[in-house]
Amino acid sequence: MPKQIQVNGFAIFSPVHLSPGLWRHPDDRSLDFDTLDYWTDVARILEAGKFDSIFIADGIGIHDVYAGTADAALRSGAQIPKLDPMLLVSAMAHVTEHLGIGVTAPVSYEPPFTLARRFSTLDHLTKGRVAWNIVTGYSNAASRAVGRDNIMPHDPRYDLADEFLDAVYALWEGSWDDEAIVVDPIKGVIADPHHIRKVHHHGAHFKVDAIHLAHPSPQRTPFLFQAGASNRGKDFAARHAEAVFLGEHSKARTAANVAETRARARAFGRDEHDIRFYALTTAIVAETRVAAEAKYRDYQRYIDPKGSLALLSGWTGIDLSRYSLDDPFPTVKKDNAVTSMIDSFSRSERPWTIREIIEHNGIGGRGPVIVGSPAEVADELQAWVGETGIDGFNLSYAVTPGGYQDFAELVVPELQRRGVYKTEYAPGTLREKVFGTGRARLPLSHPAASFRPSAAGRTPKAASA
Ligand SMILES: Cc1cc2nc3c(=O)[nH]c(=O)nc-3n(C[C@H](O)[C@H](O)[C@H](O)COP(=O)(O)O)c2cc1C
């Protein structure tokens, strides 16, 4: 069977995600973002198109780097207002049966115990369809919002994330045995204390001494998404991630990232195919190429350059108001930044000016914008998969939910005709749908497995920490 292309819908709980200004387009429903009807419609559209999952971006900082204030972000609605995506999961799960639902949650602002409990709750309520996009956070604004000083330096943030994961793995994998729930009405017993143990994690950043409050959920550890692409970020992904989300504009940079992360996963003793790679992409599709190009030109008229600059400054930590639009993208090393994004613009195959980046990023962010008929879009998607080693696409949009709907109605049938896209969902949890039946839980080669009590009944790793 030819390699099957996977697709994830990329979203945010805000009126503006990666296409600032497009909320003004008559076909766009972004302003309904604060209604459950909008999100249940999106979930149904994605499931009708047999998307593997939706991934909701998040971050608790406002974009306030441009001109040293949040004004540009506030005026353009550049990811503000922004609501809490965890609270959407149950509603979307309730109207779907198969769609994986990924939510972003940072490791920097709350204890592992409370986050582990919320994800276990969602894993139960979704019947094993929840995913966690693990982020360290990159913004000083977020850090200050929760009473901290500026954000920690870049690499130590990943050390903290490694420790956070040790603690949540111990709670998810090690606190309750599968046999712990007994429900014996005769004896009046619900759970057997012999099969439940306290986690003791005493690390540099976190301390946990507790029994996990949630009984074992279908996946135990939620399906793990990650999107860091720096040197340290790739190590982190190689160790923990099951799906890596890439945001590159070129096939060459994408291919290099995939190869490097897979090699590191092998070095950590994991099977390199236990990580799926998704490339950020926007498809603008219509029945004919001419119609698709007209659509693209129409969307471009709505791009809001100030909104784009607010986002770019926020992500890179560089105040772009200090530069002319025709300057090349500056190469400044920042700690409050997505450092891989600075590299991708400044150390690219060719130098990008700020104006070019706005024009490119203004619709759908950093990934490619593929414009054409269904056959042309399918050709280009297959070329990306063939030339880069990715497994699929993280689909952004110009207008929502129309961008997803066009893809589901025009591109998906074309990919199905070519035999490279599922016609039915696989049964089971999200992990089983992606990796196969019998894989509801993480494999033994994943670091989380070391926190399980072994078959021989040895003490699990964190309990002896
Ligand atoms: C497609 C994509 C989606 C991302 N989504 C988020 C997000 O929702 N929240 C966040 O804080 N960071 C997000 N990031 C940033 C990364 O998670 C990571 O923090 C960032 O890339 C910095 O790490 P790095 O320097 O290792 O790349 C995203 C990155 C990419 C490429």
Side-chain angles (χ1 to χ4, degrees):
M1 185 161 64
K3 184 167 172 173
Q4 298 294 291
I5 293 177
Q6 302 191 320
V7 178
N8 173 83
F10 199 25
I12 196 168
F13 200 176
S14 171
V16 173
H17 189 198
L18 298 175
S19 305
L22 270 291
W23 58 271
R24 296 171 295 179
H25 193 282
D27 294 344
D28 188 73
R29 279 185 60 199
S30 291
L31 296 181
D32 294 340
F33 79 101
D34 53 3
T35 67
L36 277 187
D37 284 347
Y38 169 76
W39 289 100
T40 51
D41 285 353
V42 167
R44 286 192 186 100
I45 289 167
L46 299 189
E47 185 153 289
K50 309 233 163 17
F51 280 45
D52 295 274
S53 45
I54 182 169
F55 161 0
I56 309 171
D58 195 31
I60 61 164
I62 193 166
H63 292 299
D64 63 358
V65 176
Y66 185 78
T69 80
D71 290 1
L74 288 165
R75 284 207 180 89
S76 61
Q79 304 188 342
I80 179 80
K82 184 169 40 176
L83 307 182
D84 183 340
M86 278 223 181
L87 303 182
L88 287 175
V89 176
S90 296
M92 288 193 287
H94 198 55
V95 297
T96 53
E97 202 186 328
H98 297 287
L99 185 71
I101 305 170
V103 236
T104 301
V107 293
S108 319
Y109 313 114
E110 75 170 306
F113 186 78
T114 50
L115 190 82
R117 181 186 185 217
R118 290 209 301 289
F119 270 109
S120 293
T121 306
L122 290 176
D123 203 47
H124 279 295
L125 294 178
T126 62
K127 298 194 171 83
R129 289 191 282 139
V130 76
W132 172 26
N133 177 39
I134 310 161
V135 296
T136 60
Y138 55 83
S139 111
N140 284 337
S143 208
R144 283 191 236 108
V146 294
R148 311 263 170 85
D149 295 329
N150 282 348
I151 189 120
M152 283 172 76
H154 182 269
D155 287 5
R157 293 206 291 272
Y158 280 110
D159 298 338
L160 176 143
D162 275 327
E163 194 202 316
F164 192 101
L165 285 180
D166 279 356
V168 291
Y169 290 155
L171 290 160
W172 287 325
E173 303 284 338
S175 189
W176 292 62
D177 293 341
D178 288 338
E179 305 84 346
I181 295 286
V182 289
V183 190
D184 183 336
I186 310 281
K187 291 187 186 151
V189 172
I190 287 188
D192 178 354
H194 293 109
H195 284 287
I196 301 162
R197 61 195 66 78
K198 251 188 189 174
V199 163
H200 297 288
H201 172 95
H202 294 189
H205 304 281
F206 304 106
K207 198 169 164 211
V208 184
D209 289 290
I211 289 172
H212 190 35
L213 290 183
H215 57 302
S217 66
Q219 300 185 108
R220 282 188 179 252
T221 296
F223 194 102
L224 299 174
F225 289 177
Q226 213 272 327
S230 61
N231 189 40
R232 185 65 179 86
K234 282 188 200 119
D235 260 353
F236 184 84
R239 200 183 284 273
H240 301 284
E242 299 179 83
V244 171
F245 289 80
L246 303 171
E248 292 293 354
H249 46 80
S250 80
K251 291 186 185 118
R253 288 184 62 93
T254 302
N257 193 322
V258 171
E260 224 183 293
T261 307
R262 285 204 198 281
R264 291 180 196 209
R266 285 195 302 274
F268 287 131
R270 294 183 67 196
D271 180 335
E272 63 176 56
H273 299 294
D274 284 347
I275 307 182
R276 299 285 195 247
F277 290 84
Y278 293 76
L280 178 64
T281 303
T282 305
I284 296 180
V285 60
E287 291 296 351
T288 65
R289 179 180 188 80
V290 173
E293 281 173 349
K295 220 175 184 179
Y296 187 34
R297 279 195 301 277
D298 177 42
Y299 292 152
Q300 282 174 314
R301 292 192 300 125
Y302 291 85
I303 292 178
D304 175 354
K306 270 280 166 64
S308 282
L309 285 166
L311 289 179
L312 280 166
S313 295
W315 290 325
T316 60
I318 300 171
D319 177 3
L320 294 173
S321 73
R322 295 162 182 256
Y323 298 85
S324 137
L325 289 184
D326 293 312
D327 284 342
F329 196 85
T331 47
V332 189
K333 249 324 184 225
K334 289 279 186 180
D335 264 333
N336 55 327
V338 179
T339 60
S340 53
M341 184 180 289
I342 303 176
D343 283 354
S344 116
F345 292 134
S346 54
R347 303 217 185 100
S348 196
E349 294 86 351
R350 66 182 179 85
W352 289 65
T353 65
I354 295 171
R355 189 188 306 279
E356 285 174 323
I357 294 173
I358 292 173
E359 279 162 13
H360 176 85
N361 268 48
I363 288 186
R366 258 191 309 164
V369 179
I370 303 174
V371 183
S373 68
E376 286 166 331
V377 171
D379 286 347
E380 187 57 15
L381 295 178
Q382 286 190 280
W384 267 79
V385 171
E387 292 170 41
T388 63
I390 57 167
D391 301 282
F393 297 91
N394 183 24
L395 198 73
S396 188
Y397 54 78
V399 297
T400 179
Y404 300 133
Q405 195 148 15
D406 286 349
F407 192 90
E409 289 174 2
L410 297 171
V411 182
V412 166
E414 178 64 29
L415 294 172
Q416 286 170 330
R417 262 192 295 281
R418 297 177 185 202
V420 294
Y421 196 93
K422 66 178 108 36
T423 51
E424 292 299 335
Y425 279 107
T429 62
L430 176 57
R431 189 167 287 124
E432 287 170 296
K433 289 181 203 305
V434 173
F435 291 112
T437 307
R439 270 284 298 267
R441 296 182 178 168
L442 281 161
L444 286 175
S445 54
H446 190 279
S450 65
F451 292 87
R452 292 175 189 147
S454 74
R458 266 186 283 122
T459 312
K461 197 169 154 187
S464 56

